[in-house]
Amino acid sequence: MHRDQIVPGTRFAQSSGGAIPDTGRAAYVLWNSPEPPLPILVAVPHSGRDYPAGALASMRDPEQARLRLEDRYVDAIATRLAAETGASLLVAQAPRALIDLNRSVEDVDWSMISGEVLRSSRHSVANRRSRNGLGLVPRRIPGLGEIWRGQTPAAQLEARIAGIYRPYHAALGAELDRLRDAWGAALLVDLHSMPPLRPAGPEDRPAQFVVGDRFGASCHPGLVDMTLRYFGDHRRRVSLNRPYSGGYILDRFGHPRRGIHALQLETCRSTYLDTRLDQPSARIVSVARLLAGLVRALAAEVGEIGGAGRLAQAAE
């Protein structure tokens, strides 16, 4: 079943935008309610699985690259929790291999781009992630090596930015503004998945969830504290900002002084996928239910912060 067939609830309106080159598919799908029952947007930027045939043919090892780059089926968790809570939901359909929506548009390894380049920043803070292989267009994966057989034409990069990147970011910003205007404050839950973390020692039990708030910059501390307590109360191992503190999306959209808060939430793939970390397991239902409870708890707190006086509705 494709993700746009998993429509979360009849209360939602569905829209889409952007375009994945050479596929005929939209870059993203947005589900929301005309009168939002919660001041929360759940966004999923890294689970897209709509690959152009040409992109797959250009990969050295497409199966392993997809397995490693995708936030594998975390969108299935997101659709379930949105259906249960009424939170707005934005899901990228474009794969991360084509363009990483959690990077700056300038974060490019220009040595992998052929043809005339329209940008000039080549070695700066703006493209430091790309020099590690995971910039706007991922180049290499630790333990796997180079992703692509050759360079990416500059015209393809520009088409991905225009067709995927800018529409997704525009939709994200517009929905957060809409929720903030309705509630006085809004929260972005930027949902990701992570491979199992390595234990630090024989007795260590690594976190199953990692909460990122850019070390306090992107979110009200009360929302962060509530999130950590919630996982603790449910006997789930959680850490804050280690090893993931959040990426470009939190930097761009998390502005507490403007009433827009943003958290990145990493979910360990072993909690909801099979032993190969490939396909959803039966545990995905319980993880979605766990995160739905978190979203409800956070919604009440965001409503308090915004002073919208709609806490009763948020709790329903």
Side-chain angles (χ1 to χ4, degrees), residues 4-241:
D4 62 6
Q5 295 175 288
I6 311 173
V7 180
T10 56
R11 77 189 103 173
F12 288 87
Q14 178 182 335
S15 59
S16 60
I20 306 171
D22 303 319
T23 67
R25 302 288 298 176
Y28 69 83
V29 178
L30 173 66
W31 289 278
N32 59 14
S33 176
E35 295 186 2
L38 300 181
I40 292 183
L41 169 63
V42 178
V44 188
H46 283 168
S47 66
R49 298 184 291 278
D50 291 337
Y51 291 82
L56 291 174
S58 298
M59 288 181 174
R60 294 177 182 272
D61 188 342
E63 181 177 354
Q64 283 301 310
R66 292 174 65 173
L67 191 65
R68 296 283 299 277
L69 279 174
E70 292 173 9
D71 281 350
R72 202 73 161 178
Y73 293 106
V74 78
D75 56 307
I77 295 175
T79 53
R80 284 171 170 82
L81 77 86
E84 191 169 329
T85 65
S88 297
L89 174 62
L90 177 66
V91 177
Q93 300 194 125
R96 182 185 183 188
L98 290 186
I99 193 163
D100 191 332
L101 296 166
N102 201 22
R103 300 288 182 266
S104 164
V105 76
E106 298 291 344
D107 196 356
V108 179
D109 181 346
W110 297 109
S111 68
M112 67 181 293
I113 307 299
S114 64
E116 183 179 358
V117 174
L118 301 182
R119 289 168 175 77
S120 59
S121 63
R122 293 176 179 270
H123 296 287
S124 68
V125 172
N127 66 357
R128 66 188 185 278
R129 296 296 296 270
S130 68
R131 283 175 272 150
N132 292 326
L134 291 174
L136 186 68
V137 179
R139 176 171 184 166
R140 68 180 69 86
I141 301 172
L144 186 63
E146 294 285 328
I147 298 170
W148 307 101
R149 297 180 185 276
Q151 291 181 302
T152 299
Q156 285 189 15
L157 174 61
E158 294 297 330
R160 294 174 192 176
I161 291 171
I164 301 171
Y165 186 95
R166 296 200 188 284
Y168 179 88
H169 280 251
L172 180 57
E175 183 64 10
L176 286 172
D177 284 346
R178 188 179 78 97
L179 294 173
R180 187 268 319 277
D181 292 347
W183 283 88
L187 172 66
L188 168 65
V189 178
D190 204 44
L191 187 60
H192 297 255
S193 73
M194 63 183 181
L197 299 175
R198 294 181 179 179
E203 304 300 322
D204 183 44
R205 301 181 68 207
Q208 299 167 303
F209 298 90
V210 177
V211 179
D213 70 346
R214 300 302 289 162
F215 298 99
S218 69
C219 191
H220 189 287
L223 298 175
V224 179
D225 291 344
M226 172 175 282
T227 302
L228 299 176
R229 289 198 310 272
Y230 179 88
F231 283 119
D233 290 344
H234 287 79
R235 299 183 179 181
R236 296 286 188 146
R237 301 186 301 277
V238 62
S239 68
L240 176 62
N241 290 318

